[in-house]
Amino acid sequence: MPKQDEIKLHFTQNEQDDAIDIIAQLEALLQPKLRNLSPEENVKYGVISEQNKLFVNKVKDYRNTNPALSSPDVDWVEFEADAIDRSFLENAALRIEGLMTAMTETRRIHDHDNFENAGIDYKYTKYKDETNPGSGYDVKARELGQFFKGGGGDTEFPE
């Protein structure tokens, strides 16, 4: 395998279409019950600390094991529904985050492969321009050269 081709696993058009359809279905399913917070709401609601999660879980444990000790002022059906939704959202978000990380890192490998191959093509273009002037490679070399330090005279690729 040539050095510049680090990854040769590619998605078919059907796989790409299916993935986009599944993402759209997931968005359609979840979006009606999701909220984006305003900056003010982010401040108001904040993020529950680990200590506070333990506190909530302890109250939940007491409710489950000894409901007679629970406050009658709390809507315990809503409390349980919030706990279930919170757990679902956290677990789903972690799975999506893991998938997103893997997708981003795989994309980076494809970016690397494209960049390495583009560099090979640029070197070839410069070679052809030197050995066959006036054949169109001069224009291509100039246009590609703008992406390099010094306008194309350097062989160091842009970062």
Side-chain angles (χ1 to χ4, degrees):
M1 177 176 5
K3 181 179 181 256
Q4 73 273 10
D5 290 321
E6 298 289 333
I7 191 167
K8 287 196 175 247
L9 299 172
H10 301 284
F11 295 96
T12 66
Q13 187 62 53
N14 282 343
E15 290 170 329
Q16 292 176 38
D17 293 344
D18 288 349
I20 295 301
D21 288 346
I22 291 168
I23 292 168
Q25 290 173 26
L26 187 59
E27 288 171 334
L29 175 70
L30 298 179
Q31 200 60 48
K33 294 184 180 177
L34 299 179
R35 281 195 45 200
N36 289 319
L37 300 178
S38 69
E40 296 80 20
E41 288 173 319
N42 265 307
V43 171
K44 175 182 174 183
Y45 295 117
V47 177
I48 190 170
S49 68
E50 291 303 313
Q51 185 73 20
N52 289 346
K53 287 178 196 174
L54 292 173
F55 169 70
V56 169
N57 287 337
K58 184 53 96 174
V59 169
K60 186 173 182 275
D61 288 343
Y62 266 104
R63 172 65 184 171
N64 291 335
T65 59
N66 201 343
L69 298 177
S70 298
S71 170
D73 296 331
V74 172
D75 180 343
W76 291 105
V77 173
E78 179 63 20
F79 184 92
E80 183 63 25
D82 285 339
I84 290 168
D85 282 356
R86 184 227 175 274
S87 178
F88 160 71
L89 290 167
E90 180 178 45
N91 292 329
L94 287 171
R95 291 181 68 185
I96 291 170
E97 185 178 325
L99 187 59
M100 184 185 78
T101 298
M103 291 172 73
T104 298
E105 291 176 359
T106 302
R107 187 211 67 223
R108 288 174 49 205
I109 298 169
H110 287 294
D111 287 345
H112 173 80
D113 283 356
N114 279 346
F115 182 74
E116 291 296 317
N117 282 303
I120 290 168
D121 183 68
Y122 178 60
K123 287 178 183 177
Y124 175 81
T125 298
K126 286 175 46 174
Y127 163 76
K128 290 301 279 184
D129 180 35
E130 290 174 13
T131 60
N132 194 4
S135 59
Y137 288 101
D138 55 333
V139 174
K140 181 179 177 182
R142 252 191 332 273
E143 287 185 13
L144 294 177
Q146 70 180 325
F147 297 101
F148 298 93
K149 296 176 184 175
D154 298 343
T155 56
E156 186 177 329
F157 295 122
E159 296 188 25

